[in-house]
Amino acid sequence: MQIEVNGVAHELDVEEDMPLLWVLRDELGVKGVKYGCGIAQCGACTVHIDGEAVKSCQVFAGDVWGEVTTIEADADESPVLRAVQSAWIEHQVAQCGYCQSGQIMLAASLLSENRNPSDTEIDETMRSNLCRCGTYPRIREAVKSAGERVREG
């Protein structure tokens, strides 16, 4: 099976029903994608497939429909991802940091679709990813700040 991850094509010999999360972590060594719950409830494993945020624990390798982008992607290739990562640092969002790669990928997906989300839109989108440390106010502020950066170009 062939899969493209962060702009690099990979030929893999894996079962089609292997979760994408395990393909990324165990077969390709992409460790920024985290295992949290395995049932799409926490969001630590969030990646993009053709720009759409998905929980990689629930996508089978054989069902991947496009290019996979993870937190390890070159942020210089994505102004939105670069803006989100910069805002995360500026607002000191991470506390323990475990959920943050998934949070960043979900925020980047939101801002790719809506460059000026309201607080309600941010909260509604981001609530599908859990942060056990409770950094939600900082996440909201970082998303707003990243949106400003993206709008300004």
Side-chain angles (χ1 to χ4, degrees):
M1 144 182 333
Q2 190 168 24
I3 186 170
E4 187 173 344
V5 179
N6 298 328
V8 178
H10 301 273
E11 189 67 38
L12 300 170
D13 183 21
V14 299
E15 298 293 324
E16 291 202 1
D17 64 349
M18 177 184 271
L20 176 59
L21 173 62
W22 300 132
V23 171
L24 294 169
R25 289 185 59 80
D26 297 342
E27 300 296 322
L28 299 177
V30 180
K31 301 297 186 184
V33 182
K34 303 297 185 193
Y35 174 80
C37 68
I39 57 172
Q41 297 299 302
C42 74
C45 67
T46 303
V47 300
H48 296 173
I49 300 177
D50 277 350
E52 178 185 346
V54 299
K55 309 299 191 265
S56 63
C57 69
Q58 296 297 297
V59 176
F60 293 127
D63 293 338
V64 173
W65 58 89
E67 181 178 357
V68 177
T69 305
T70 73
I71 192 72
E72 289 89 354
D74 184 355
D76 290 335
E77 299 294 320
S78 170
V80 174
L81 184 56
R82 183 174 55 250
V84 172
Q85 289 175 343
S86 295
W88 242 246
I89 294 166
E90 176 187 326
H91 291 274
Q92 299 180 7
V93 173
Q95 192 163 317
C96 84
Y98 196 83
C99 70
Q100 295 307 307
S101 62
Q103 300 279 5
I104 288 169
M105 296 306 289
L106 186 58
S109 179
L110 168 63
L111 291 175
S112 291
E113 296 173 14
N114 180 356
R115 306 223 178 210
N116 193 19
S118 67
D119 286 352
T120 301
E121 291 169 321
I122 294 168
D123 292 346
E124 286 177 4
T125 298
M126 299 305 294
R127 77 171 160 209
S128 71
N129 283 26
L130 301 178
C131 174
R132 293 187 58 130
C133 299
T135 65
Y136 300 112
R138 291 187 295 211
I139 288 170
R140 183 185 315 116
E141 291 307 309
V143 171
K144 289 166 50 176
S145 178
E148 285 179 30
R149 289 179 183 172
V150 171
R151 289 190 307 276
E152 292 171 359

